[in-house]
Amino acid sequence: MSRRNFLEGAGIAAIGAGLLGMAGCGSPSVASSKGSETKNAASSGVSTKGTSPYAQINPQDWDFTDCTIDDFSKTTMFSEIKFGSLTLKNRLIKSAATSMVANDEQKAVAYHSAIAAGGMGAVLIEGSYNMLSRLDAPGKVTNAEDRLSIEESPLEAICKAVHDQGVPCLIQLKTATPGIVYNWDNMGPEGETHRASLLSANDIQMYIEDSIEAAAKLQAIGFDGVDINAAGDNLPARFFSRFGNDRAVDDPYGPATIESRARICTELIAGIKQRCGQDFVVQVLVNGAEENDGSLGDSDLCMAKEEIAAICQALEAAGADALELRLGTFQFHETQFVGDAVWGANGLEGSTGFGTFFNFNQHFGGLLDGSHSGCGLIMNACKYVKQFVKIPVGGVVFMDPALAPDYFEQALNDDAIDTIYMHRPVSNADKDYANKLREGRIDEIRPCCRCLNCMGGPCRVNPTNALVFTEQMPEGYEPKPGDGQKKVMVVGAGPAGMEAARVCAERGYDVSIYDKSSVGGLLDFAASVKGGHEQLGRYKKYLSHMLEVEGVNVVEGQEVDADFVRKQNPDVVIVAVGGTRPEISFSGTDSTPVYSMADFMSQDLGDRVTVLGFNAQAVDVATFLLSQGKMVTVVSSEPATAYATGQSAMLLRYTKPAFLAAGGKILPESTIASVGDGEIAIKGASGVDATILCDAIVDANTMLPNTDLVDALGSDFKVYAVGDCSEPMNIQSAVTAANLVARNC
């Protein structure tokens, strides 16, 4: 079965139609508040994606992605704003987050320079360096061997590169986040426990003094300011919240008062201002809402919104110039900054990663709007805090104004937020994001799919970030001009084929792309199953639009064989026709039929469904069916470690517990021995055969390569195979292979 055969099921087209139209640019639905009351859109009767009880916890509403803006350059998001002593040219700020290139000067300079050139209002650099003269010394910090000091680092060159683009540059001061373990004086043999009591009075003073000294060094090499990470489980946050502040009641840094809880940070802010001057900007990253994700509801020690507002007032009084708010959780560190994963399981939104589910009507004080797949999640918290401070307040974690321009513009105009902090949509997906948005070229913005493949590999839609200046991509971000005049023929218009055609055309080649169905390949199917979270409809629209922009000749409804290729006589052939499914060794019955991936969505599957395969497609199908109220079992001959092959490891840490908690069952090292009437016999790893109830089977076994066309062409042409027809895996690997082939053909 080819990639495009997946689109032949009428059910897929029907279910996916609404999702595929979701691309941004009518009526925005920013949650509003009056005084301290905040409305959660998830409670307003919006439609859900499934009938499972778990799908009802955080019903999703995608009616917020419209755009009525004619001229983005005249919007509030592209207006100037005072940011301490700085004037930012717009409200879009690149947040401080891991780049994976911190210690490589060539990569780091190019990376940050490209982001600044892309039109952001300010760029914040990650704090992945040894910046504290005593605390970062050997014997005090246990795992900083791969972190450079300020003097050894490329920070001065990075800052200059950002400034050369006319953009302010700040850097984060990050201390004692997980992965950076300090040997505090009061630390016991159990190691780091993220409690304020671990620090002695000497530790606290050393931290404050070292941080002030680091700020002075950073100012000396050109930085405009610092971003103090006082959120999540980073050091000051342990003191802000009673969840981590277990010091004595009468301790000057203890939990008794807001003043004492904020003191570690207010003394640091005041010290930096005194040492570096009032014009040196100090921003503070703070929890906008807190919840005990490890034991939901057991959150009486977490900060309520009133406490957060009071902490923010204390920070402002100490001299803070701006506030950035993010999610505050304590047991699963990544939830603080990859909130994308919380919405990663379609129909099971709100996963904590512990097999439980946030209810955004109640958890986090009911302050957050969880109905938009996490988009703008923190904005209600920002609006609440803004009532109590005069300095700019912004939010981070899935802030993507290109997805929902009216939604974000209204938030800015309603004084809900002042600034929009972004990382993955800009740093990984499209470094020219701000320029394109300002110019109204939304369809040319590569959308961040929130798949989290970038946490350990190339971005799904833009592999350059992980590969530039390596042997695979020595030329850097931009592909080199084409090698003379070439006629390139791309067969198959899925994501791999469209990416290959786009890049070849960008290099100046004469490119035609053919598909026996229509452009998109498996993207339509994937969007139907995955839902709106990964924005695959938007990604398809981007790829289709870029084929038009680059002048690619698109031919739909054309079957391509070797004879057809020979008639076209191209110089280069790129084959991206997708893989095939292996034959199964059993047959279904009238009571328990077997359906292919192409047609299962248009069938009445009954209540109990078995899905074959451990690949990412199979897992997505199983999750989708579970959210529809089905009882789902996933069966594979592969070991348990192969479950969800092709899905990012970070996303899997949330989606797998959600699937199991909602009643899904996983049977590794198992095969279907026979199919009966309403049941199937399973031969499992235990050596004991078992029978399970089953009304239908969906064959989602991992695809096999499909090289028929490549083999038929032989050596007559310069032929490349990319995507699933060469090595079935996922969109990320297919697009990466296509991009590399197109850059070098």
Side-chain angles (χ1 to χ4, degrees):
M1 192 189 315
S2 73
R3 269 181 183 268
R4 294 171 300 282
N5 290 141
F6 279 70
L7 302 178
E8 294 176 357
I12 294 175
I15 294 175
L19 295 171
L20 296 176
M22 182 194 67
C25 232
S27 57
S29 57
V30 178
S32 61
S33 65
K34 296 180 180 179
S36 62
E37 295 301 316
T38 307
K39 176 177 171 53
N40 185 338
S43 65
S44 60
V46 296
S47 60
T48 63
K49 294 176 182 173
T51 58
S52 162
Y54 294 91
Q56 314 304 316
I57 297 173
N58 296 297
Q60 298 297 292
D61 175 15
W62 283 100
D63 292 332
F64 74 106
T65 62
D66 295 334
C67 175
T68 60
I69 298 170
D70 294 323
D71 186 347
F72 279 86
S73 68
K74 297 179 181 178
T75 58
T76 302
M77 71 178 78
F78 283 100
S79 65
E80 292 184 347
I81 184 172
K82 288 292 293 179
F83 199 82
S85 63
L86 303 172
T87 299
L88 309 190
K89 62 184 178 182
N90 63 55
R91 310 300 184 94
L92 307 183
I93 299 175
K94 161 63 178 70
S95 66
T98 301
S99 66
M100 300 184 186
V101 299
N103 293 344
D104 185 310
E105 182 163 341
Q106 182 185 31
K107 291 182 180 181
V109 169
Y111 170 90
H112 291 100
S113 178
I115 292 171
M120 299 299 285
V123 173
L124 273 59
I125 312 301
E126 65 194 278
S128 300
Y129 302 93
N130 290 332
M131 295 188 282
L132 308 182
S133 58
R134 290 170 293 176
L135 284 176
D136 284 330
K140 193 65 179 176
V141 62
T142 60
N143 51 349
E145 296 84 1
D146 59 342
R147 291 157 53 90
L148 300 178
S149 68
I150 294 175
E151 293 77 13
E152 300 168 321
S153 75
L155 284 174
E156 186 170 5
I158 292 170
C159 185
K160 182 180 183 303
V162 173
H163 281 161
D164 285 347
Q165 299 297 332
V167 177
C169 189
L170 288 77
I171 185 170
Q172 186 169 95
L173 295 178
K174 178 176 67 174
T175 308
T177 192
I180 309 173
V181 179
Y182 289 93
N183 294 314
W184 305 116
D185 288 347
N186 296 329
M187 183 180 290
E190 75 281 359
E192 184 69 73
T193 58
H194 301 286
R195 295 290 177 184
S197 61
L198 291 176
L199 280 72
S200 67
N202 181 64
D203 286 330
I204 292 173
Q205 291 310 307
M206 191 182 299
Y207 161 71
I208 294 172
E209 292 168 6
D210 274 11
S211 297
I212 294 170
E213 180 66 24
K217 290 181 179 180
L218 293 163
Q219 182 185 37
I221 62 174
F223 281 92
D224 300 297
V226 292
D227 168 38
I228 300 173
N229 191 338
D233 39 22
N234 292 279
L235 184 58
R238 305 182 195 180
F239 289 77
F240 290 172
S241 178
R242 292 181 298 127
F243 192 92
N245 195 332
D246 59 343
R247 300 178 74 85
V249 174
D250 60 350
D251 188 287
Y253 298 93
T257 66
I258 293 295
E259 180 184 11
S260 60
R261 287 153 60 180
R263 178 171 282 117
I264 191 169
C265 199
T266 57
E267 290 184 349
L268 173 56
I269 295 167
I272 292 174
K273 287 291 188 176
Q274 182 177 4
R275 178 73 177 273
C276 300
Q278 293 302 309
D279 287 347
F280 190 69
V281 175
V282 177
Q283 172 184 283
V284 187
L285 177 62
V286 185
N287 291 340
E290 291 189 351
E291 181 60 47
N292 182 2
D293 54 328
S295 182
L296 284 179
D298 186 12
S299 303
D300 61 300
L301 295 179
C302 293
M303 285 197 292
K305 60 186 179 183
E306 294 83 2
E307 295 173 87
I308 292 171
I311 290 284
C312 290
Q313 284 182 311
L315 301 177
E316 179 184 34
D321 296 296
L323 297 169
E324 177 187 358
L325 271 55
R326 82 175 190 197
L327 211 60
T329 56
F330 301 99
Q331 302 300 325
F332 208 150
H333 174 66
E334 286 81 1
T335 302
Q336 302 159 16
F337 56 89
V338 294
D340 304 333
V342 173
W343 283 266
N346 182 18
L348 303 177
E349 289 84 0
S351 172
T352 65
F354 295 98
T356 55
F357 297 85
F358 294 119
N359 181 334
F360 287 99
N361 284 311
Q362 297 180 6
H363 298 131
F364 296 100
L367 186 63
L368 306 181
D369 182 351
S371 70
H372 300 146
S373 197
C375 186
L377 176 72
I378 202 70
M379 290 201 297
N380 281 348
C382 294
K383 184 168 186 174
Y384 180 79
V385 168
K386 273 181 57 60
Q387 300 174 89
F388 302 95
V389 299
K390 295 181 174 61
I391 56 178
V393 178
V396 71
V397 182
F398 190 23
M399 304 289 276
D400 189 353
L403 169 65
D406 287 358
Y407 177 65
F408 283 95
E409 180 66 8
Q410 182 175 321
L412 289 163
N413 292 333
D414 287 350
D415 208 29
I417 55 172
D418 297 305
T419 47
I420 298 170
Y421 292 81
M422 306 169 64
H423 175 54
R424 285 182 293 277
V426 174
S427 63
N428 295 341
D430 199 327
K431 291 178 174 57
D432 206 30
Y433 183 109
N435 286 336
K436 291 177 180 178
L437 185 60
R438 187 186 68 253
E439 296 164 9
R441 297 186 288 137
I442 291 182
D443 291 344
E444 294 182 31
I445 297 175
R446 290 187 193 91
C448 172
C449 290
R450 309 173 67 206
C451 60
L452 300 180
N453 280 295
C454 59
M455 299 186 72
C459 168
R460 172 189 281 178
V461 302
N462 184 10
T464 62
N465 199 53
L467 299 179
V468 292
F469 306 119
T470 65
E471 291 184 4
Q472 293 174 287
M473 203 177 285
E475 68 276 11
Y477 289 108
E478 300 301 323
K480 57 192 175 185
D483 181 16
Q485 298 296 315
K486 289 183 181 179
K487 182 179 179 181
V488 178
M489 182 178 186
V490 181
V491 185
M498 287 195 283
E499 176 72 2
R502 181 192 69 78
V503 176
C504 284
E506 185 180 346
R507 296 183 64 200
Y509 293 149
D510 177 11
V511 183
S512 295
I513 187 169
Y514 298 83
D515 197 288
K516 72 176 184 179
S517 180
S518 58
V519 297
L522 280 179
L523 289 177
D524 289 4
F525 167 78
S528 299
V529 173
K530 289 175 175 287
H533 170 79
E534 294 188 17
Q535 302 183 53
L536 293 178
R538 186 179 168 200
Y539 181 42
K540 175 187 174 182
K541 188 173 182 178
Y542 159 78
L543 287 171
S544 301
H545 180 70
M546 292 310 297
L547 296 181
E548 181 181 351
V549 169
E550 300 293 350
V552 175
N553 177 37
V554 179
V555 182
E556 297 180 313
Q558 176 65 58
E559 189 83 45
V560 174
D561 57 16
D563 289 339
F564 182 83
V565 174
R566 293 187 178 99
K567 289 178 182 178
Q568 306 308 308
N569 194 31
D571 298 297
V572 175
V573 182
I574 299 176
V575 181
V577 296
T580 60
R581 299 280 170 189
E583 294 291 331
I584 55 177
S585 60
F586 56 86
S587 299
T589 67
D590 290 342
S591 299
T592 306
V594 179
Y595 296 111
S596 71
M597 293 274 275
D599 56 16
F600 81 90
M601 293 182 82
S602 61
Q603 306 297 324
D604 181 3
L605 301 179
D607 295 329
R608 303 173 182 87
V609 183
T610 299
V611 177
L612 303 181
F614 268 8
N615 57 80
Q617 290 177 352
V619 170
D620 286 337
V621 167
T623 303
F624 168 77
L625 293 173
L626 191 70
S627 75
Q628 302 302 308
K630 310 294 185 185
M631 289 175 278
V632 182
T633 303
V634 186
V635 175
S636 175
S637 60
E638 297 179 276
T641 53
Y643 179 79
T645 298
Q647 190 176 94
S648 77
M650 181 57 66
L651 195 63
L652 183 60
R653 290 173 67 183
Y654 292 78
T655 58
K656 185 177 180 181
F659 178 77
L660 295 172
K665 190 168 181 60
I666 301 170
L667 298 180
E669 299 180 61
S670 300
T671 57
I672 296 180
S674 62
V675 181
D677 291 331
E679 63 182 28
I680 56 176
I682 301 289
K683 183 175 288 296
S686 67
V688 177
D689 294 348
T691 300
I692 65 172
L693 299 176
C694 179
D695 299 317
I697 300 167
V698 177
D699 178 14
N701 274 307
T702 301
M703 288 188 289
L704 301 174
N706 176 11
T707 61
D708 291 351
L709 180 57
V710 175
D711 296 339
L713 291 173
S715 59
D716 295 349
F717 300 93
K718 194 173 184 180
V719 182
Y720 303 89
V722 298
D724 288 343
C725 73
S726 172
E727 187 176 355
M729 177 58 71
N730 57 17
I731 298 172
Q732 177 204 35
S733 62
V735 170
T736 297
N739 187 287
L740 289 171
V741 162
R743 283 171 174 260
N744 294 285
C745 67

